[in-house]
């Protein structure tokens, strides 16, 4: 067994300390990114770089909030035949705003996606070598591991743990980064937003047609229309509805093309300790 540390482009003295720790522990491995790529890419890199060197892996944050005493339970479930063992926290240490926004995110993404994501799953999990091999097939710059794992049809189990208080430093995971993660999670695993655009475009177009019929009825039957209103407003509604409708259709194709052709490097490693 070994411990792998992913340095996500740190700008402090973290890598020097990792090198010092390496001198004391031979079973330590580490990689350093050329720049910060985000924790999802860091987790993906750990899976990809070390998938051939282990039968399973356990991912855990470096802030000390995850309960490491659950390692035994994770491994026991692996030996009992589970390829995925997810650890879910009680989130008692989170701030109220984070709890509310996290609950909203999980409810929304599970509503629009066919693959259900376990709520309060903060990437603390065990995955087998088979799962690791499947994950590394999904290389892209906006990867969302929780969504990928939820889509894999492997035997899985969920365990619970109590979230601990952060031991050192302050979280650098800002609201902007959390928002970006949510956007990546939604757009990577659901075409729902694009289909909403298409539906809204069709709805606006349909309303425009009804308004047109109403105006024609008022003009020819009741003779009570406002001069110039129809010729100004109707074209705006009509063209707006057509544009949104067509953008939705184009978006459907662009999303599919994007998923097929993107081949950009996900990360760059500048130093490697083995």
């Amino acid at each position: 067994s070994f411990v792998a540390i992913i340095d996500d482009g740190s700008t402090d003295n973290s890598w020097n300390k990792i090198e010092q720790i390496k001198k004391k522990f031979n079973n330590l491995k580490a990689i350093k990114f050329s720049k910060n790529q985000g924790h999802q890419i860091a987790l993906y890199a750990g899976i990809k770089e070390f998938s051939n060197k282990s039968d399973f892996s356990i991912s855990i944050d470096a802030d000390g909030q995850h309960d490491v005493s659950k390692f035994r339970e994770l491994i026991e479930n692996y030996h009992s035949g589970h390829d995925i063992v997810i650890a879910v926290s009680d989130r008692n240490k989170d701030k109220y705003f984070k709890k509310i926004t996290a609950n909203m995110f999980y409810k929304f993404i599970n509503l629009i996606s066919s693959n259900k994501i376990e709520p309060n799953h903060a990437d603390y999990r065990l995955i087998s070598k088979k799962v690791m091999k499947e994950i590394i097939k999904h290389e892209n710059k906006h990867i969302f591991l929780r969504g990928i794992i939820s889509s894999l049809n492997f035997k899985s189990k969920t365990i619970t743990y109590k979230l601990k208080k952060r031991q050192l430093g302050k979280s650098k995971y800002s609201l902007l980064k959390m928002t970006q993660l949510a956007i990546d999670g939604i757009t990577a695993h659901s075409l729902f937003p694009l289909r909403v655009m298409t539906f809204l475009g069709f709805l606006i177009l349909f309303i425009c047609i009804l308004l047109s019929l109403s105006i024609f009825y008022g003009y020819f039957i009741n003779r009570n229309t406002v001069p110039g209103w129809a010729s100004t407003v109707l074209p705006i509604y009509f063209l707006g509805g057509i544009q949104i409708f067509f953008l939705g259709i184009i978006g459907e194709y662009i999303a599919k093309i994007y998923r097929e052709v993107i081949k950009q490097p996900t990360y760059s490693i500048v130093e490697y300790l083995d």
Side-chain angles (χ1 to χ4, degrees):
S1 63
F2 61 90
V3 175
I5 299 176
I6 314 301
D7 185 332
D8 189 17
S10 64
T11 56
D12 54 15
N13 199 37
S14 296
W15 186 253
N16 290 333
K17 291 185 177 181
I18 292 172
E19 290 178 320
Q20 294 173 9
I21 297 173
K22 172 65 177 177
K23 296 176 182 179
K24 300 179 181 179
F25 301 97
N26 292 327
N27 65 336
L28 176 68
K29 303 178 187 297
I31 58 177
K32 178 177 175 60
F33 287 170
S34 59
K35 63 179 182 179
N36 182 270
Q37 298 285 359
H39 84 287
Q40 291 292 293
I41 298 297
L43 289 168
Y44 173 81
I47 293 170
K48 183 177 180 180
E49 299 298 325
F50 303 112
S51 61
N52 291 323
K53 300 179 180 181
S54 59
D55 294 325
F56 63 86
S57 70
I58 298 175
S59 58
I60 189 169
D61 291 347
D63 55 16
Q65 290 188 284
H66 295 166
D67 186 1
V68 296
S69 66
K70 291 292 182 177
F71 276 18
R72 181 181 296 275
E73 187 176 354
L74 290 169
I75 296 171
E76 287 174 352
N77 279 288
Y78 164 75
H79 287 303
S80 67
H82 296 88
D83 289 297
I84 302 172
V85 188
I86 295 172
V88 177
S89 72
D90 54 11
R91 303 193 75 97
N92 286 338
K93 300 298 181 181
D94 284 344
K95 294 181 179 179
Y96 182 75
F97 176 76
K98 188 173 182 179
K99 288 181 182 180
I100 294 296
T101 53
N103 288 334
M104 290 173 58
F105 166 71
Y106 283 114
K107 286 181 180 179
F108 180 71
I109 197 170
N110 285 334
L111 177 66
I112 66 175
S113 177
S114 58
N115 301 311
K116 305 305 179 185
I117 299 176
E118 186 70 38
N120 300 329
H121 169 213
D123 294 304
Y124 182 20
R125 68 176 81 88
L126 179 148
I127 55 175
S128 68
K129 192 184 192 77
K130 291 187 291 184
V131 177
M132 294 167 73
K133 293 294 185 182
E134 288 298 317
I135 288 175
I136 61 179
K137 295 177 182 178
H138 293 77
E139 183 170 4
N140 65 71
K141 299 192 75 173
H142 302 280
I143 197 165
F144 184 61
L145 289 174
R146 298 170 212 178
I148 292 175
I149 288 174
S150 69
S151 69
L152 299 177
N153 191 25
F154 287 94
K155 188 176 181 180
S156 62
K157 185 174 181 179
T158 300
I159 66 172
T160 59
Y161 71 97
K162 290 185 178 181
L163 193 68
K164 296 182 178 180
K165 186 177 180 180
R166 186 181 181 92
Q167 294 183 3
L168 296 171
K170 295 181 179 180
S171 175
K172 295 182 176 65
Y173 214 71
S174 63
L175 178 61
L176 180 61
K177 289 185 177 180
M178 287 191 290
T179 303
Q180 184 61 54
L181 177 63
I183 293 173
D184 288 342
I186 292 169
T187 56
H189 295 277
S190 176
L191 294 177
F192 180 79
L194 292 174
R195 286 172 179 153
V196 167
M197 289 175 58
T198 305
F199 173 77
L200 286 177
F202 178 79
L203 180 62
I204 293 171
L205 183 60
F206 179 72
I207 292 173
C208 179
I209 293 172
L210 293 180
L211 285 173
S212 299
L213 294 175
S214 174
I215 289 169
F216 287 141
Y217 177 83
Y219 179 78
F220 289 107
I221 305 300
N222 294 334
R223 304 289 181 175
N224 61 354
T225 56
V226 178
W229 184 88
S231 61
T232 303
V233 174
L234 281 179
I236 295 174
Y237 284 158
F238 180 77
L239 291 175
I242 288 291
Q243 288 173 346
I244 296 174
F245 181 68
F246 285 168
L247 279 174
I249 295 175
I250 294 170
E252 292 273 1
Y253 286 97
I254 291 176
K256 291 176 173 61
I257 294 170
Y258 173 81
R259 290 178 177 178
E260 291 294 330
V261 305
I262 186 167
K263 299 294 181 183
Q264 295 177 342
T266 307
Y267 56 87
S268 297
I269 299 176
V270 291
E271 293 192 59
Y272 194 109
L273 296 179
D274 196 356

